[in-house]
Amino acid sequence: MKPRDKAIVELNNGGYDFKRHGANHDIYYCQRTGCIIPLKRHDFDESDLRYIVSEIKKNERREP
C-alpha cells in the first residue's frame, strides 16, 4: 500500500471525512474536533505519512 493510501485509511479511522479537492491537496475534515487536515496529492512519502498520523493524534487530544 502506498503511503498516501495509508494516510487516507488513517484519516478515515480517525474520524476525518473527505471534504473537497484543492489544486494540490485534498481536504479532510473532522466534525467531532472541527479540525482540517490537507493531504498532498503529489510527492507524498513516508515522512508526510508520519506528519498526518501525528496531526490526527494531536487533534484527538484537542477534542472538546
Side-chain angles (χ1 to χ4, degrees):
M1 187 180 282
K2 295 179 182 179
R4 188 174 190 285
D5 295 335
K6 290 179 186 177
I8 292 171
V9 169
E10 290 292 329
L11 285 165
N12 289 331
N13 291 342
Y16 286 80
D17 297 316
F18 173 78
K19 184 80 168 169
R20 66 177 174 84
H21 292 292
N24 296 315
H25 294 78
D26 291 334
I27 306 299
Y28 283 82
Y29 174 73
C30 181
Q31 190 171 10
R32 184 178 72 241
T33 61
C35 295
I36 295 172
I37 295 181
L39 183 66
K40 288 177 22 176
R41 282 212 203 135
H42 309 285
D43 301 323
F44 198 91
D45 58 16
E46 290 291 330
S47 65
D48 296 317
L49 174 61
R50 285 191 297 273
Y51 170 75
I52 294 295
V53 171
S54 70
E55 284 295 306
I56 292 169
K57 289 179 182 177
K58 180 178 80 171
N59 292 337
E60 285 176 352
R61 290 180 284 210
R62 286 184 51 205
E63 192 170 336

